[in-house]
Amino acid sequence: MSNEPIKLEAVKIEREGDVTFLILNRPEKRNAMSPQLHSDMCEALDWAEMDDQTRVVVITGAGGNFCAGQDLKLFFRANENDPKAWAVTLRDSHAWRWDKLASFPKATVAMVHGYCFGGAFTPVIACDFAIAADSAIFGLSEVNWGVIPGGLVSWAVTRVMGYRDALYYAVVGEQFTGKEAVAMKFVNKSVPLDQLRDETIAFARKLSAKSPAAVKYTKEAVRVVRDMNKEQAFDYLKVKSDALSLNDPEKGRQKAMKQFLDEKSFKPGLGDFKR
Ligand code: ACO
C-alpha cells in the first residue's frame, strides 16, 4: 500500500525517496510535546508502518531543535484536574515514544539537532539509531524543576548509558553536547550541523538497501535477547531464524547463498547481496 503522507497538526511528514521524516512540528515552542503532538505521532507512525514506500523512518524536530520535552503547560498543567484527558495523554505519550517506536518493524533513526530535553530522551533511545549534530544540547532537566525523569526516561537512559553517566546527568541536570553524547554511547555518531541531514539520509540509504525482512528480524532479535538468559536466547534465536527463512518474501538467504556459492558474485563479509 502506498499513500500520500497524511496531514497532521503538530507533526509534519516528508519523504526522501524510501526514507520518511516524521518531524515534531511546534517550532515556536521548541517542539515541546503537547497532547496533540502525542496523538499525531501515534497516527504518523501507524501511517509510516503501513506505507510501502517507507523503508526507514527518521524522527526529528522542526526549526533547528529536536524537542524541549513534555509541554509544561499543555501536557502537565492543563491536565491537572482532568483525569480522563490525562489518561488519554499518558497513553498516547507512552505509545509512540516507546511501544510503537521500540517495536517498529522498519529501521528507525533519531536525528537530533538543537535542544533535546527530558521526555524527548525516550524516543531517541527507542529509535534503533541516533545521529546528532556536534552542537546538539541534551539535558535531563527534570531535577532542575523539581521532578524525576518519569515516564520511562530513567529506565530508558540506563539501557544505553553507563550507570555513572545516567546518574550524573539525571541528578545534576547538566547539559551535554552531541559530541559528548557519542563518547557516552548515547548516540551512534555526531556530525557538523550543516552535514546532519545529508549524513542521516546517507546512513538511512544504507539501511534501506538491505533486505527489509533481515533488518526487521535482526533488530527484533537483538532487542529482545537483552532481557533473556543464555538458554532462552539460544532457543529464541533458533526459532527466530527459522521464522525469517519462512517469512521472507524476497527469499534473501537463498539468493545470497546462490550469489556467493554458485555465481561467486558477492562477498557477504564486504557488503549486501543483490536483492
Ligand atoms: N513546555 C512548554 N513550553 C515550552 C517548553 C516546554 N517544555 N520549552 C519551551 N517552551 C516554550 C516557551 O515557554 C516559549 O513560549 P512563549 O514564546 O509562549 O513564551 C517558547 O517555547 C520558546 O522558549 P524559550 O524559552 O523562549 O526559548 P529559548 O530558545 O530561549 O530556550 C529552552 C529553549 C532551553 C528549551 C527553554 O525553553 C527550556 O528550558 N525549556 C524547558 C526544557 C525542559 O526542561 N524540558 C523538560 C520538560 S520535563 C519533561 O519532559 C518530563
Side-chain angles (χ1 to χ4, degrees):
M1 186 174 39
S2 188
N3 311 311
E4 275 309 296
I6 50 175
K7 300 262 181 272
L8 298 161
E9 200 178 309
V11 171
K12 198 166 43 168
I13 303 180
E14 282 176 11
R15 287 192 194 279
E16 282 277 350
D18 54 17
V19 180
T20 296
F21 284 71
L22 305 185
I23 304 168
L24 311 186
N25 192 25
R26 302 182 69 226
E28 70 292 348
K29 302 289 181 192
R30 310 299 180 258
N31 306 317
M33 296 177 284
S34 61
Q36 183 69 50
L37 184 144
H38 288 307
S39 148
D40 286 358
M41 275 306 286
C42 287
E43 272 196 62
L45 282 167
D46 289 347
W47 174 83
E49 180 176 348
M50 292 302 149
D51 175 54
D52 285 340
Q53 191 179 323
T54 300
R55 281 272 163 82
V56 180
V57 162
V58 177
I59 309 280
T60 192
N65 293 292
F66 185 75
C67 171
Q70 297 289 12
D71 189 304
L72 301 181
K73 189 168 162 193
L74 300 176
F75 181 84
F76 289 113
R77 184 181 279 173
N79 283 322
E80 267 170 9
N81 298 313
D82 191 342
K84 285 194 180 159
W86 179 233
V88 171
T89 298
L90 270 188
R91 182 197 63 199
D92 289 348
S93 162
H94 179 69
W96 84 264
R97 286 181 309 142
W98 194 267
D99 285 346
K100 285 176 190 284
L101 256 185
S103 62
F104 201 72
K106 305 171 184 183
T108 54
V109 185
M111 184 180 97
V112 184
H113 49 183
Y115 293 122
C116 175
F117 286 114
F121 274 49
T122 305
V124 173
I125 297 166
C127 280
D128 303 320
F129 308 98
I131 303 180
D134 294 334
S135 56
I137 302 286
F138 295 87
L140 289 169
S141 53
E142 286 89 338
V143 72
N144 295 340
W145 64 283
V147 301
I148 61 168
L152 277 182
V153 175
S154 293
W155 176 82
V157 287
T158 56
R159 306 280 291 174
V160 290
M161 286 161 100
Y163 179 69
R164 288 254 182 249
D165 286 328
L167 200 57
Y168 181 91
Y169 286 103
V171 174
V172 180
E174 193 175 291
Q175 300 81 49
F176 54 93
T177 64
K179 274 194 172 170
E180 289 166 326
V182 181
M184 284 185 273
K185 311 273 188 225
F186 184 71
V187 300
N188 295 94
K189 67 173 171 175
S190 74
V191 297
L193 180 61
D194 60 358
Q195 293 165 27
L196 181 63
R197 190 177 164 98
D198 287 350
E199 288 273 345
T200 304
I201 291 171
F203 176 65
R205 296 241 187 281
K206 270 193 204 177
L207 297 168
S208 68
K210 297 192 180 295
S211 148
V215 167
K216 173 178 184 292
Y217 277 67
T218 302
K219 57 177 264 190
E220 285 169 0
V222 172
R223 190 176 289 277
V224 170
V225 292
R226 293 179 79 196
D227 297 319
M228 290 183 181
N229 66 32
K230 177 166 61 69
E231 287 73 23
Q232 290 166 333
F234 187 71
D235 198 47
Y236 166 85
L237 290 171
K238 181 177 170 301
V239 175
K240 193 78 177 165
S241 303
D242 292 347
L244 171 57
S245 288
L246 278 176
N247 293 321
D248 179 2
E250 294 189 347
K251 299 284 170 228
R253 181 186 163 127
Q254 288 89 329
K255 262 187 218 162
M257 288 278 200
K258 188 159 176 263
Q259 288 173 24
F260 181 63
L261 296 175
D262 306 329
E263 299 169 0
K264 301 204 176 295
S265 61
F266 109 107
K267 294 191 188 289
L270 301 178
D272 299 317
F273 69 92
K274 268 196 224 71
R275 289 180 46 219

